[in-house]
Amino acid sequence: MANKPFMAWMTEIQQQVEGALERLLPSDQHTPQKLHEAMRYVCLGGGKRVRPLLVFAAGELVGASADNLARIGAALEMVHVYSLVHDDMPCMDDDVLRRGKPTCHVAYDEATALLAGDALQTHAFDTLSAPLPGVGPAAQLAMVHTLARAAGHAGMAGGQAIDLASVGKALNQPELEYMHLLKTGALIRSSVLLGAMAGRPLSEEETARLDVFAKRMGLAFQVVDDVLDCEADTATLGKTAGKDAAHDKPTYVSLMGLSEAKQFARDLRDEAFAALEGFGDSAQRLKELADYIVARSF
Amino acid sequence: MANKPFMAWMTEIQQQVEGALERLLPSDQHTPQKLHEAMRYVCLGGGKRVRPLLVFAAGELVGASADNLARIGAALEMVHVYSLVHDDMPCMDDDVLRRGKPTCHVAYDEATALLAGDALQTHAFDTLSAPLPGVGPAAQLAMVHTLARAAGHAGMAGGQAIDLASVGKALNQPELEYMHLLKTGALIRSSVLLGAMAGRPLSEEETARLDVFAKRMGLAFQVVDDVLDCEADTATLGKTAGKDAAHDKPTYVSLMGLSEAKQFARDLRDEAFAALEGFGDSAQRLKELADYIVARSF
């Protein structure tokens, strides 16, 4: 697998994650069917699967099994998707398009979107706490705790609350970074950490280095997202383009300008790369993935 | 503690749980303040704390520590409260009163209620996956899994989806029981199971007996709730009374009549009692609590 070209590797992982989600999500043949249908509708057949890709790439550092990484990646994707479903609801961003399809409350109804998001979050913890062969219970419990920290009030949900409070306000760069550190960065970072918890134990120094990589990539991912939101049209993006500007939300582009934001993303990638020195060939996929994520904004 | 009168024991546990929630919930002095305020508003200073009481009562069977039980009870209460916050939102039951106070989306706004509910669910898993002194990681991981199963698509969230789909439909008793088995029963049952997982290991037979108790009480609790919803007025109940009938939702009272529903609750309590034979004095609190829950409907 290590010799496979990056794009082929990425496609293969995306298929594995799709398969895992397909198996792990409840069947739409079982009651309550509408809820199960909605959970499958929002999770399957779309998305770049960035978080699962990070799980797999980090898992290569520690020789983790592909089956376990697929399950961990699926759990992270469920958390990510639940946040999108709730974020798109009328009381939040009120958006109608996501991953090239009508959003959940448009395709179903608001109550179903609310419940599907709720049930997806729970299902992530269900998925992550079910047996992972070869992973000890202490390591697995630490994974659950890491995910909960990353997704909650001091992570993703907290970041969304700050985002909500910041509409129409002029944030400076430290404030903007803090918001994104929580809103997007925490889950991206936890994807890297969880993948690396599924195999041989890392030394303290290795964990610290990997955490630098994870933090830089969490931030770079958001900077790239802002660049894409500014540059791309809706058809290419698969979600409504330019909506941050339309909602008067601060972005890296509005704060630093377009070319500076692109340069900032490249600088973050280079710092992330530097943190991986010492891992040798086992860090190849993480580097390729970091490069790919940032290159999307070129 | 075992010799303390039941009402004094209950008050003491309720205070311990309030204290645990107070400590475990994020401070409203920290950013994002509005989110943290809303999380505290909905969790603190109200509610009968039935689920934590069940955790403590079941914990007496196995000699679990009060500190651990308070943490586990707080996690269950967070899941319960998150479900109330989302259930009260305009796209669901659209209710304005809960535990004698304005509901979260009335006191704050819809977006904050959505995020506070989301963050409370996450915080329950955060709380339950943090260290529990004296409890092994395998047992703790099993607690996380049990809670996730009880709260998700095959438990509480699934039950709410069935409830939503059943408005205006004439359910028969098996259908109504299945809905409540998921919607209320699963979390009540998991409260008993989680408390009993925090101390000495139970034998298979003991676990099976306790599970019968837990299932009967889950159902009894809902039957009592339907009786109270029919009989009480809004001031006594602290939430909008008679709303199930107003929403044309099937209830045990509408299905079997008032006095039959009360008798059904008593029968369930007696079956629950019978399942505890063999536990001796260590089951005293569970029996007292079961009696108290059902007696609310007399």
Side-chain angles (χ1 to χ4, degrees), chain A residues 7-266:
Chain A
M7 296 304 286
W9 174 83
M10 192 165 74
T11 304
E12 187 178 312
I13 303 301
Q14 285 165 336
Q15 285 167 351
Q16 281 188 45
V17 171
E18 184 79 12
L21 285 167
E22 179 78 50
R23 283 189 303 277
L24 290 164
L25 288 165
S27 163
D28 52 13
Q29 303 301 304
H30 292 155
T31 303
Q33 293 181 326
K34 193 176 174 186
L35 175 71
H36 295 172
E37 254 182 46
M39 291 170 77
R40 301 180 75 86
Y41 173 80
V42 294
C43 283
L44 298 175
K48 298 175 293 294
R49 313 298 191 196
V50 169
R51 290 151 197 81
L53 285 165
L54 285 164
V55 169
F56 271 87
E60 297 226 343
L61 291 179
V62 295
S65 90
D67 282 353
N68 285 346
L69 294 173
R71 178 177 275 270
I72 297 165
L76 275 153
E77 190 70 8
M78 288 174 206
V79 171
H80 173 55
V81 172
Y82 117 69
S83 80
L84 299 179
V85 170
H86 283 184
D87 203 35
D88 286 336
M89 284 180 69
C91 68
M92 297 280 288
D93 277 0
D94 194 12
D95 216 325
V96 296
L97 191 65
R98 174 68 70 179
R99 293 180 169 178
K101 304 191 291 193
T103 48
C104 190
H105 67 277
V106 171
Y108 294 87
D109 52 68
E110 278 186 57
T112 301
L114 180 60
L115 283 177
D118 287 345
L120 274 177
Q121 175 171 198
T122 326
H123 207 55
F125 288 103
D126 183 338
T127 297
L128 197 58
S129 59
L132 289 177
V135 177
Q140 207 178 335
L141 191 63
M143 285 184 201
V144 170
H145 196 59
T146 301
L147 178 61
R149 295 260 89 191
H153 73 93
M156 187 180 73
Q160 285 192 304
I162 299 176
D163 193 14
L164 204 65
S166 74
V167 174
K169 282 187 192 164
L171 297 189
N172 58 28
Q173 189 169 334
E175 289 167 340
L176 191 66
E177 273 188 22
Y178 183 65
M179 190 260 281
H180 286 308
L181 182 73
L182 270 60
K183 189 183 170 188
T184 322
L187 204 61
I188 293 281
R189 179 183 167 213
S190 75
S191 303
V192 175
L193 301 181
L194 263 63
M197 290 159 98
R200 73 164 174 87
L202 293 181
S203 71
E204 267 188 45
E205 198 232 320
E206 285 175 320
T207 303
R209 285 178 156 276
L210 192 66
D211 201 29
V212 171
F213 172 86
K215 283 181 182 162
R216 296 296 182 280
M217 285 316 299
L219 189 50
F221 186 76
Q222 187 57 50
V223 177
V224 169
D225 220 46
D226 285 355
V227 169
L228 291 176
D229 189 65
C230 166
E231 284 195 323
D233 59 33
T234 299
T236 316
L237 214 52
K239 59 183 177 183
T240 309
K243 72 177 179 184
D244 286 343
H247 287 191
D248 199 16
K249 279 190 182 178
T251 72
Y252 286 97
V253 176
S254 68
L255 192 72
M256 22 170 67
L258 186 60
S259 67
E260 288 78 4
K262 289 182 180 185
Q263 185 56 48
F264 186 43
R266 281 192 290 265

Side-chain angles (χ1 to χ4, degrees), chain B:
Chain B
M1 186 108 142
N3 292 321
K4 191 169 280 196
F6 174 71
M7 296 305 286
W9 173 83
M10 192 165 74
T11 304
E12 187 179 310
I13 302 300
Q14 285 164 337
Q15 285 166 353
Q16 281 188 44
V17 172
E18 184 80 12
L21 285 167
E22 179 78 49
R23 285 188 304 278
L24 290 165
L25 288 166
S27 163
D28 52 12
Q29 304 300 305
H30 292 156
T31 304
Q33 293 181 326
K34 193 175 175 188
L35 175 71
H36 295 172
E37 254 182 44
M39 290 169 78
R40 300 180 76 86
Y41 173 80
V42 294
C43 282
L44 297 176
K48 298 174 294 294
R49 313 298 191 196
V50 170
R51 289 150 198 83
L53 286 165
L54 285 164
V55 168
F56 271 87
E60 296 225 343
L61 290 180
V62 295
S65 90
D67 283 353
N68 286 346
L69 294 172
R71 179 176 275 271
I72 297 165
L76 275 152
E77 190 71 8
M78 289 175 205
V79 171
H80 173 56
V81 172
Y82 117 69
S83 79
L84 299 179
V85 171
H86 282 184
D87 203 35
D88 286 337
M89 284 180 68
C91 67
M92 297 279 289
D93 277 0
D94 194 13
D95 216 324
V96 296
L97 191 66
R98 173 68 70 181
R99 291 178 170 178
K101 304 191 291 192
T103 48
C104 190
H105 66 277
V106 171
Y108 295 86
D109 52 67
E110 277 187 58
T112 301
L114 180 60
L115 283 177
D118 287 345
L120 274 177
Q121 176 172 197
T122 325
H123 208 54
F125 287 103
D126 183 338
T127 298
L128 197 58
S129 59
L132 289 178
V135 177
Q140 207 177 334
L141 191 63
M143 284 184 202
V144 170
H145 196 59
T146 300
L147 178 61
R149 295 260 90 190
H153 73 93
M156 186 181 73
Q160 284 191 305
I162 298 175
D163 192 13
L164 204 65
S166 75
V167 174
K169 283 188 190 163
L171 298 189
N172 58 29
Q173 189 170 334
E175 289 166 341
L176 191 66
E177 274 188 22
Y178 183 64
M179 190 260 280
H180 287 307
L181 183 74
L182 271 60
K183 188 182 171 189
T184 322
L187 204 61
I188 293 280
R189 178 182 167 214
S190 75
S191 303
V192 175
L193 300 182
L194 262 64
M197 289 158 97
R200 74 163 173 86
L202 293 181
S203 71
E204 266 187 46
E205 198 231 321
E206 284 175 319
T207 303
R209 284 178 156 276
L210 192 65
D211 201 31
V212 171
F213 172 86
K215 284 181 182 162
R216 294 296 180 280
M217 284 317 298
L219 189 50
F221 185 77
Q222 187 58 50
V223 177
V224 169
D225 220 48
D226 285 354
V227 168
L228 290 176
D229 189 65
C230 165
E231 284 195 323
D233 59 31
T234 300
T236 315
L237 214 53
K239 59 183 176 182
T240 310
K243 72 177 180 186
D244 286 343
H247 288 190
D248 200 14
K249 281 189 182 180
T251 71
Y252 286 95
V253 175
S254 69
L255 192 70
M256 26 172 64
L258 186 59
S259 67
E260 288 77 5
K262 289 181 179 185
Q263 185 57 47
F264 185 43
R266 282 191 290 264
D267 292 347
L268 287 165
R269 175 201 56 191
D270 294 344
E271 288 171 35
F273 269 33
L276 293 180
E277 273 180 37
F279 283 105
D281 287 350
S282 68
Q284 181 201 332
R285 291 300 183 205
L286 273 179
K287 286 183 181 170
E288 287 172 342
L289 187 55
D291 210 34
Y292 173 76
I293 288 171
V294 171
R296 290 165 60 224
S297 69
F298 287 175

